[in-house]
Amino acid sequence: MTVTQGGAPAQASPSVAQVAYHDGEFMPLERAVLPVTTQALQYGTGVFEGIRAYAQDDGSLAIFRAHDHYRRLLRSSRTLRIDPGRSVEELCELTAELLRRIGTSEDTYIRPLAYKRALLPGQKPGVGLSGVSDALSVNAFRMGSYTDPAGIRCTISSWRRPTSDALPVRAKVTGGYVNNALAVDEARAAGCDDAILLNSRGQVAEASTSNVFAVIGGRLVTPPATADLLEGITRDTVVTLAEDLLQTPTDFRDMGRDDLAGADEVFLTGTGTEIVPVTELAGRPVAEGTPGSLTTALMRAYQDVVRGKEPHYRHWLHPVHA
């Protein structure tokens, strides 16, 4: 499947192969299938990443912060006793080879999935992490920016973000995303684009698949890791760029819904969403209801960095050599 600028599925270009990495080899995408008995399907015992590769000015393709994404995948894997069987460097090279085989130089989204597959011989059926085989699959498809740079509408979800003593929220565990799906479904039923979830203490945690930032009193603010959020790679990118390029440090502190309601700017960050302004929250405009100046400056800076226009950050780009 490929995705258009607006996020809707579209047919792949005839010149682009549909290839996946699965069962230890590269194969046509239609062959990369799993049986209904897969343990991860039954119990949500898988971990994943979302990674982007961006077209560069010279016509090449580069994976953005591949090493950081795969370091997080391996940390998440350890939480569920999954062994993907590859090092960070090997995973980066495997992904570059997948993109070469696909044969695209356009913006691409990459989805690695490490998961529990089947009971090992002699093991009793049931929920568990030991005695179950591990597997790794990686697929990719063309995907440009799909969020509206003019801003999106968000609601405050009635669903709460799970606590870290109930679910490993700092790992990208597949089963945990039922919570996110429920929040998005609720938001869209109310005519909004996304949902912001509070944690069990009533403080801002994150959006459905994004981290939350606000500009409050001229300062850039985002919730700390202790707010039961996933520490996003794009979140870290924004914190770095804000300080390095815009001389704007970030305050990591708890925020309530009232902080968001009174903020000068609110925006979300994530690999898929990139950086997107929130111009309406819970039926009310955020400030003037238009993207703020800091948000806009960060959006521009981010695009320059991911496309190799900022030499200082080229170490974040893993080239996909032809």
Side-chain angles (χ1 to χ4, degrees), residues 83-235:
D83 179 9
R86 299 273 184 161
S87 68
V88 168
E89 195 60 45
E90 288 170 336
L91 288 165
C92 290
E93 286 307 310
L94 182 156
T95 304
E97 177 62 19
L98 174 63
L99 296 179
R100 283 191 289 269
R101 289 172 181 249
I102 290 173
T104 181
S105 59
E106 300 177 51
D107 291 359
T108 304
Y109 186 85
I110 303 147
R111 171 53 55 84
L113 175 67
Y115 51 97
K116 288 296 183 181
R117 185 155 190 177
L119 288 172
L120 295 173
Q123 298 296 316
K124 295 180 180 179
V127 178
L129 298 175
S130 300
V132 185
S133 64
D134 304 319
L136 171 71
S137 300
V138 187
N139 73 292
F141 51 88
R142 291 186 294 121
M143 186 173 80
S145 298
Y146 61 80
T147 51
D148 189 347
I152 62 172
R153 303 168 67 209
C154 288
T155 186
I156 302 294
S157 181
S158 67
W159 296 93
R160 292 295 177 102
R161 175 77 171 158
T163 60
S164 58
D165 58 356
L167 193 77
V169 295
R170 295 172 76 174
K172 285 181 74 73
V173 176
T174 58
Y177 278 75
V178 170
N179 177 249
N180 308 64
L182 289 166
V184 170
D185 183 69
E186 179 185 64
R188 290 178 179 169
C192 294
D193 302 296
D194 204 349
I196 292 175
L197 293 90
L198 307 180
N199 59 29
S200 62
R201 303 182 297 280
Q203 298 159 339
V204 174
E206 62 180 34
S208 63
T209 57
S210 309
N211 292 120
V212 181
F213 283 82
V215 178
I216 301 172
R219 300 189 67 85
L220 185 60
V221 182
T222 196
T226 52
D228 292 325
L229 54 84
L230 178 73
E231 296 165 274
I233 306 297
T234 311
R235 173 181 180 263

Side-chain angles (χ1 to χ4, degrees), residues 245-306:
L245 302 182
L246 304 176
Q247 292 74 56
T248 304
T250 301
D251 290 343
F252 297 90
R253 67 170 177 83
D254 288 324
M255 290 192 290
R257 59 187 300 164
D258 289 346
D259 291 311
L260 292 185
D264 300 314
E265 303 178 37
V266 177
F267 61 90
L268 309 181
T269 65
T271 297
T273 56
E274 300 173 301
I275 302 172
V276 61
V278 176
T279 51
E280 183 180 304
L281 182 62
R284 295 175 175 82
V286 175
E288 301 301 317
T290 57
S293 59
L294 182 57
T295 306
T296 303
L298 284 167
M299 292 166 69
R300 284 197 299 264
Y302 181 81
Q303 288 298 317
D304 285 346
V305 167
V306 299

